[in-house]
Amino acid sequence: VVAERNAEQTRERILMATFDLMFKNGYQGMRVDQILATTGLAKGALYHHFSNKQSLGYAVVDELLQGRIQEFWINPLAECDNPIETINTILQGHVNEMQCHPEQMALGCPLNNISQEMAGLDEGFKERLEKIYDTWTGAISDALTKGQQKGQVKQDLEPDVAAIFMISSMQGIIGAAKCMQNADMFGKLIGALCDYVSGLRAVN
Amino acid sequence: VVAERNAEQTRERILMATFDLMFKNGYQGMRVDQILATTGLAKGALYHHFSNKQSLGYAVVDELLQGRIQEFWINPLAECDNPIETINTILQGHVNEMQCHPEQMALGCPLNNISQEMAGLDEGFKERLEKIYDTWTGAISDALTKGQQKGQVKQDLEPDVAAIFMISSMQGIIGAAKCMQNADMFGKLIGALCDYVSGLRAVN
Amino acid sequence: VVAERNAEQTRERILMATFDLMFKNGYQGMRVDQILATTGLAKGALYHHFSNKQSLGYAVVDELLQGRIQEFWINPLAECDNPIETINTILQGHVNEMQCHPEQMALGCPLNNISQEMAGLDEGFKERLEKIYDTWTGAISDALTKGQQKGQVKQDLEPDVAAIFMISSMQGIIGAAKCMQNADMFGKLIGALCDYVSGLRAVN
Amino acid sequence: VVAERNAEQTRERILMATFDLMFKNGYQGMRVDQILATTGLAKGALYHHFSNKQSLGYAVVDELLQGRIQEFWINPLAECDNPIETINTILQGHVNEMQCHPEQMALGCPLNNISQEMAGLDEGFKERLEKIYDTWTGAISDALTKGQQKGQVKQDLEPDVAAIFMISSMQGIIGAAKCMQNADMFGKLIGALCDYVSGLRAVN
DNA sequence: ACGATCGGGACATCCCGTTCGT
DNA sequence: ACGAACGGGATGTCCCGATCGT
C-alpha cells in the first residue's frame, strides 16, 4: 500500500494545512507549495480536490471558518438561558484560550484576518464572509431579543447594533493583541468589553 | 537645487503611490511594478530612493501612517480642554468622512490593515507599528489622565486600558464596515462607541 | 458479450473524440483531459484502451485517416472506368462538401494537418503517414497507368509524379482555404486543378 | 562588461531563435525555455522585449515571415520584365535550395506550417497570416496582369485565381516533401508546377 | 471495463532586484 | 537622478500517466 488513498481524509488534510498557512501568512501570502510540503502530497492530488488556489480559500471560509463560529457562538447561544451571561462566558473563554496558548496571540482571528485582506479585493470572498457575519450577528441579535422578552436585557436597545458592536470590538481587540503580544492587557480589554456587555442588563 | 527638489518630489510620488496600493492590496499583494506603472517611473528611479520593497513599506509606515495619527489624534488631543469631547469629535469626524466618501469603507483603516497583515510576519513592521500604537494610546491615555486631574473623567479608570479599548473598538468597527458596506450601520456603531466614551465622564 | 460490445463502443467513442480534437487543435495542442471531458469517461477507461497519448494519435492515423482515404479515393478508383473523370468527380465532391459545411473550411485536411505538424517530429507518425500517402498515390498512379493502357490518358506522362502533384496541390488548396475562408475561391482553385487533370487526357 | 547590452540585437537574437524553434516544433510545441536555452538569456530579458509567448509568435510572423516573402517574391516581381519567367526562376531557386540543404525538406515552409497550425485557433495569427497571403498573391496577380497588358500572358486568365493556385500548389508540394524526403521527386513536382505556369504564356 | 485518487514534471508567467548607461 | 536592459528564482497551473479499487 503506497498511501492511505482515502479521498475524504486527504481533502481534509489539505484543508487543515491551508487553514494554518492562510491563518499565518494571509491568503495572498500563502503558497500552494507550502501546502504540498506540509501535507506531503503532490500537485496532482491537490488539484484533484480543488480546482485552484481560490477555491481552496473559499472552501476554508465555507467549511472551517463557518464551522468555528457555529461551534463557539451560534450553538451556545441557541440554547442559552441568559444571553448576557453566555456572551461573557464565551469572551472569557477566549481569554483563557489565549493565556494557555499565548503564541496564538500573534495570529489574530482567522475570520478577521481573511476578511480584512480579501473582502475588498475579491467578490467571492466578500459574499462568503458577509454570510458568516450575518449568521453570527443574527444569532447574537436573536439571543438579545429573547433576553429582552424575558426581561433580562434593557428594552431600549437595538439588538443588531449591539451584536455587531460586540463582534467588532472583540475582533478589534484580538487584532490589537497581535501587536501588543501582552496577555494581561488582552484580558483587561476583553474585561472592558464584558463591562459593556454587562451594562446591557435590564435594571429593575 | 532644482534637481534636489525634483528628487524629493519623486520620492514623495513613489511614497504616495505605494501607500495607495498597499492600502488596497496589502503589502504582500502590492507589486512594485504597479507603483512604477502608476507613477510612470522606471525601476532605477525607485531603487535609487528605496533599497527594496521592504524599505518602501517601512517608509510608508514611518512617514505616512505615523503622520496621519499625529494629525488626526495626537495634535488635537495635545491642546484640548476636555478629552472626552475631543475624542467624540474625532470619532464623529470619521463618520462624516465615511458618509462623504463611502467608497473608502471597503478599504478599511490603513494602519489596521498593515498591522493585521504584517505584524506577525515581519519584526521590522511589528516594531514600527508598535511604536505608532504606543504614541497613539499614550496620547489618549495622557489626555484622559489630565481629564481626571481636571475632574472631567471618572477617577476609577485605568486610562491606558480605556485608550487601547477605544482604539481597538474603532479599528474593529472600521474593519467590520469593510464587509457590511453600510454607512448607516457604521454611524450607529461609532455611536455606540461614543456612548461608551461618554460613559467615562466623571459623575458629580 | 455485452461487455465486449460496450468495450468496443467505448474505444470507438474515444477515437472519434480524439479525431475531432486532434483535427482542431493539432496533436500537440490536443489535451487528453479534453477527450475525457467530451466523452464523459475517466482516465482509467482511456488508458485501458490506449497505452498513452502517442498510441492514441497513431490509432487515429491508422484507423480513421487510412479509412477515409480508402473510402473517398482508393475504392472509387479501384473500380473506375476512366481515372480522369473519377478524379474530377472526387474533387468536385470536396467542393460540394465545403459549400454545404463552410465551417469545415477552417479545419483543413486532417491528414495534411497531422502530417505537417508531426512528420518531422515523430518517426512513428512519419512512417504511418508515409504509408497512407504511398497507398493513396499508388492508387491514383495505378489508375492513370490503366488509363494510359486504355488510351484515355496521355502516354508521355509519369503517372506517379502526376499523382503526387494532384494530391499535393489539393492539400495546398485546402490549406490555403483555412486562411481565406472563401468558398467561391475554393471552388475556383479546385477548378484550376481539375483543368490540370483534364489536360492529362489523351489527344487523338 | 557582462554582456553586450544591446537591446535591438538581443531582440533580434530572440526572434531568430523563436523562428527556428517555431519552424521545427510548431507554435504550440515550441517552449519558451528552449528559446532561453539557445539564446543564453534569462526569463527577464525575454519578457522585457515581449509581453508573452503570443506576442513572440506574432512578431515572428509580422517581421520575419513577412520579410521573407518580400525578399523572395514581392521584390523580384515588382521589377520584372516577364512574370512567367520570373516565377519559374523563383520556383527553380527553391529546388536548388532544397538540393543544397536537403535537411530543410523535413521542415516544410515556415509560413505554411504556422498557417496550418494556428489560423483556425487564434484570430490574431489568422489576421496576420491573411495579410501576408494577400500581399503575396496580390504581387503575383499584379505581375500577371501587367504581363497580360504586355501580351506575355493569356488574356483569358483570372490573375488572382492563378496566383493563389500557384502558391497553394507550391505549399502543398513543400508539405508533401516533408513526408517523402525525396529531393528528386520534389524537383519533378516543382517541374510539374512550372509546366502549369509556362502553360499560362500567351500563344501567338 | 471503468472510475477515483494521486504522483510529479513541465510550463508560462510574475516579480524583485541588479547593472548598465547618460 | 533616472531610464532601460537584464538576471533568475518563485509561483500557480496544466497535464500525462500510474495505481488503486470494484
Side-chain angles (χ1 to χ4, degrees):
Chain A
V1 181
V2 176
E4 266 307 305
R5 212 171 191 81
N6 183 325
E8 191 52 40
Q9 191 176 314
T10 301
R11 207 190 111 98
E12 214 63 28
R13 272 170 62 207
I14 295 172
L15 222 48
M16 293 301 294
T18 305
F19 174 79
D20 287 342
L21 289 164
M22 234 170 94
F23 193 11
K24 189 170 187 180
N25 304 313
Y27 171 75
Q28 296 181 107
M30 169 190 78
R31 310 281 109 145
V32 175
D33 285 359
Q34 292 178 330
I35 301 173
L36 302 177
T38 55
T39 56
L41 291 167
K43 305 246 178 178
L46 194 150
Y47 281 90
H48 173 71
H49 291 283
F50 301 94
S51 55
N52 52 26
K53 184 182 175 182
Q54 193 187 49
S55 77
L56 248 175
Y58 288 177
V60 166
V61 174
D62 286 337
E63 303 176 31
L64 293 187
L65 297 189
Q66 179 79 273
R68 288 164 56 96
I69 298 299
Q70 191 78 31
E71 178 186 356
F72 288 118
W73 285 85
I74 300 184
N75 290 344
L77 282 170
E79 46 196 33
C80 75
D81 292 329
N82 186 321
I84 307 263
E85 312 310 324
T86 303
I87 292 169
N88 277 337
T89 303
I90 296 173
L91 290 174
Q92 283 304 327
H94 275 295
V95 175
N96 294 337
E97 177 77 12
M98 283 299 180
Q99 279 166 343
C100 296
H101 304 287
E103 76 283 359
Q104 284 202 6
M105 211 150 39
L107 296 176
C109 166
L111 183 59
N112 191 36
N113 287 2
I114 189 69
S115 180
Q116 297 308 311
E117 182 188 4
M118 297 306 296
L121 291 178
D122 184 292
E123 197 61 28
F125 272 113
K126 199 196 153 200
E127 289 170 5
R128 283 165 172 79
L129 293 162
E130 238 177 342
K131 208 189 79 187
I132 295 183
Y133 278 115
D134 279 348
T135 60
W136 190 4
T137 57
I140 298 179
S141 182
D142 287 350
L144 289 174
T145 303
K146 284 184 192 162
Q148 284 179 324
Q149 291 163 354
K150 291 190 200 168
Q152 300 162 334
V153 176
K154 273 187 183 173
Q155 295 302 326
D156 62 332
L157 177 78
E158 294 182 76
D160 58 335
V161 175
I164 304 182
F165 180 76
M166 288 177 206
I167 290 175
S168 303
S169 276
M170 192 193 65
Q171 303 238 43
I173 290 166
I174 296 175
K178 245 179 171 174
C179 270
M180 301 187 316
Q181 298 272 47
N182 183 327
D184 282 349
M185 180 53 82
F186 179 73
K188 286 187 184 176
L189 292 169
I190 293 292
L193 179 56
C194 288
D195 290 346
Y196 166 83
V197 175
S198 301
L200 304 181
R201 265 194 274 259
V203 284
N204 33 0
Chain B
V1 187
V2 176
E4 264 182 40
R5 284 211 47 202
N6 282 346
E8 186 55 36
Q9 196 175 315
T10 300
R11 204 191 114 97
E12 213 63 29
R13 272 169 60 204
I14 295 172
L15 220 50
M16 294 300 294
T18 305
F19 173 77
D20 287 341
L21 290 164
M22 232 170 97
F23 193 9
K24 187 170 187 182
N25 305 314
Y27 172 76
Q28 295 180 110
M30 170 191 76
R31 314 277 96 146
V32 174
D33 288 1
Q34 289 180 333
I35 302 172
L36 303 177
T38 56
T39 57
L41 294 168
K43 283 273 171 72
L46 193 149
Y47 281 92
H48 174 71
H49 292 285
F50 301 93
S51 56
N52 52 26
K53 183 184 176 182
Q54 195 185 47
S55 77
L56 247 176
Y58 288 177
V60 165
V61 175
D62 287 337
E63 304 177 30
L64 293 186
L65 297 188
Q66 179 78 273
R68 288 164 56 98
I69 299 298
Q70 191 78 30
E71 178 187 354
F72 288 117
W73 287 84
I74 301 184
N75 291 344
L77 282 169
E79 45 194 32
C80 74
D81 292 328
N82 186 322
I84 307 261
E85 311 311 322
T86 303
I87 290 169
N88 277 338
T89 302
I90 296 174
L91 289 175
Q92 283 304 327
H94 276 295
V95 174
N96 294 336
E97 177 78 12
M98 284 298 179
Q99 279 167 342
C100 296
H101 305 288
E103 76 283 0
Q104 285 203 5
M105 211 149 41
L107 297 176
C109 168
L111 183 59
N112 191 37
N113 287 1
I114 189 69
S115 179
Q116 297 308 312
E117 182 187 3
M118 297 306 297
L121 291 178
D122 183 291
E123 196 62 28
F125 271 113
K126 197 193 158 205
E127 289 169 5
R128 283 165 172 80
L129 293 162
E130 239 177 341
K131 209 189 77 188
I132 295 182
Y133 278 114
D134 279 349
T135 61
W136 190 5
T137 57
I140 298 178
S141 183
D142 288 351
L144 288 174
T145 303
K146 285 184 192 164
Q148 284 179 325
Q149 292 162 355
K150 292 191 200 169
Q152 299 161 332
V153 176
K154 273 186 182 173
Q155 295 302 325
D156 62 333
L157 177 78
E158 293 182 78
D160 58 336
V161 175
I164 303 181
F165 180 75
M166 287 176 208
I167 290 175
S168 302
S169 276
M170 192 193 66
Q171 304 237 43
I173 289 166
I174 295 175
K178 245 181 173 173
C179 270
M180 300 189 315
Q181 297 271 48
N182 183 327
D184 282 347
M185 181 54 82
F186 180 72
K188 287 187 183 177
L189 293 169
I190 294 291
L193 179 56
C194 287
D195 289 347
Y196 166 84
V197 175
S198 300
L200 304 182
R201 264 194 275 258
V203 284
N204 37 355
Chain C
V1 188
V2 176
E4 263 183 40
R5 285 210 48 201
N6 281 346
E8 186 55 35
Q9 196 174 315
T10 299
R11 206 190 112 97
E12 212 63 28
R13 273 169 61 204
I14 295 172
L15 219 50
M16 293 300 295
T18 306
F19 174 77
D20 287 341
L21 289 164
M22 233 170 97
F23 193 10
K24 187 170 188 181
N25 305 314
Y27 172 75
Q28 293 180 111
M30 170 192 75
R31 312 277 95 145
V32 175
D33 288 1
Q34 289 180 334
I35 302 173
L36 303 177
T38 55
T39 56
L41 295 168
K43 283 273 171 72
L46 194 149
Y47 281 92
H48 174 72
H49 292 284
F50 302 93
S51 56
N52 53 24
K53 184 185 176 181
Q54 194 186 48
S55 77
L56 247 176
Y58 288 176
V60 166
V61 175
D62 287 338
E63 305 177 31
L64 293 187
L65 297 189
Q66 179 78 272
R68 288 164 56 96
I69 298 299
Q70 191 78 32
E71 177 186 356
F72 289 116
W73 286 85
I74 301 183
N75 291 344
L77 282 170
E79 45 196 34
C80 73
D81 292 330
N82 186 320
I84 308 258
E85 312 310 325
T86 303
I87 291 169
N88 277 339
T89 303
I90 296 174
L91 289 174
Q92 284 304 328
H94 275 296
V95 174
N96 294 336
E97 176 78 13
M98 284 297 179
Q99 279 167 342
C100 296
H101 304 288
E103 76 282 0
Q104 284 202 8
M105 209 149 40
L107 296 176
C109 167
L111 182 59
N112 191 36
N113 287 2
I114 190 69
S115 180
Q116 296 308 312
E117 182 187 2
M118 297 305 298
L121 291 178
D122 184 292
E123 196 63 28
F125 271 112
K126 198 194 155 201
E127 289 169 5
R128 284 165 172 78
L129 294 163
E130 240 177 340
K131 208 189 78 189
I132 295 182
Y133 278 113
D134 279 349
T135 59
W136 190 4
T137 57
I140 298 179
S141 182
D142 288 351
L144 289 174
T145 303
K146 285 185 192 162
Q148 284 178 323
Q149 292 164 355
K150 291 191 201 168
Q152 300 162 332
V153 176
K154 274 186 183 172
Q155 295 302 327
D156 62 332
L157 176 78
E158 294 183 77
D160 58 335
V161 175
I164 303 182
F165 180 75
M166 287 176 208
I167 289 175
S168 302
S169 275
M170 192 193 65
Q171 303 238 41
I173 289 166
I174 296 175
K178 245 181 173 172
C179 269
M180 299 188 317
Q181 299 270 49
N182 184 329
D184 283 346
M185 181 55 81
F186 179 73
K188 288 186 183 176
L189 292 168
I190 293 292
L193 180 56
C194 288
D195 289 346
Y196 166 84
V197 174
S198 300
L200 304 181
R201 264 194 274 260
V203 282
N204 36 357
Chain D
V1 180
V2 176
E4 266 308 306
R5 213 173 190 79
N6 183 325
E8 191 52 40
Q9 192 177 312
T10 300
R11 208 190 110 97
E12 215 63 29
R13 272 170 61 205
I14 295 172
L15 223 46
M16 293 300 294
T18 305
F19 174 78
D20 287 342
L21 290 164
M22 235 170 93
F23 193 11
K24 188 171 188 180
N25 304 313
Y27 172 75
Q28 295 181 110
M30 170 191 76
R31 310 282 107 142
V32 174
D33 285 358
Q34 292 178 330
I35 302 173
L36 302 177
T38 55
T39 56
L41 292 167
K43 306 248 177 179
L46 193 149
Y47 280 91
H48 173 70
H49 291 283
F50 300 94
S51 54
N52 51 26
K53 185 183 175 181
Q54 192 186 50
S55 77
L56 250 175
Y58 288 176
V60 166
V61 174
D62 287 336
E63 303 177 30
L64 294 187
L65 297 189
Q66 178 78 271
R68 289 165 55 98
I69 298 299
Q70 191 79 30
E71 179 186 354
F72 289 117
W73 286 84
I74 300 185
N75 291 344
L77 282 170
E79 45 195 35
C80 74
D81 291 329
N82 186 321
I84 306 264
E85 312 309 324
T86 303
I87 290 169
N88 277 337
T89 304
I90 296 173
L91 290 173
Q92 284 302 327
H94 275 295
V95 174
N96 294 336
E97 176 77 13
M98 283 298 180
Q99 279 166 343
C100 296
H101 305 287
E103 75 282 1
Q104 284 201 8
M105 211 148 40
L107 296 176
C109 167
L111 183 59
N112 191 37
N113 287 2
I114 190 70
S115 181
Q116 297 308 313
E117 181 188 3
M118 297 306 296
L121 290 177
D122 184 292
E123 196 61 28
F125 272 113
K126 197 194 155 205
E127 289 170 6
R128 283 165 172 79
L129 294 162
E130 236 176 346
K131 208 189 79 190
I132 296 183
Y133 279 114
D134 278 348
T135 59
W136 190 3
T137 57
I140 298 179
S141 182
D142 288 350
L144 289 174
T145 303
K146 284 184 193 164
Q148 285 179 322
Q149 293 163 353
K150 292 190 200 169
Q152 301 163 334
V153 176
K154 272 188 186 171
Q155 296 302 327
D156 62 331
L157 176 78
E158 294 182 76
D160 57 335
V161 175
I164 303 182
F165 180 76
M166 289 176 207
I167 290 175
S168 302
S169 276
M170 192 193 66
Q171 303 238 42
I173 290 166
I174 296 175
K178 245 180 170 172
C179 269
M180 301 186 316
Q181 298 269 48
N182 183 328
D184 282 346
M185 181 53 84
F186 179 72
K188 287 187 183 176
L189 292 169
I190 294 290
L193 179 57
C194 288
D195 289 346
Y196 165 84
V197 174
S198 300
L200 304 181
R201 264 194 274 259
V203 282
N204 35 358

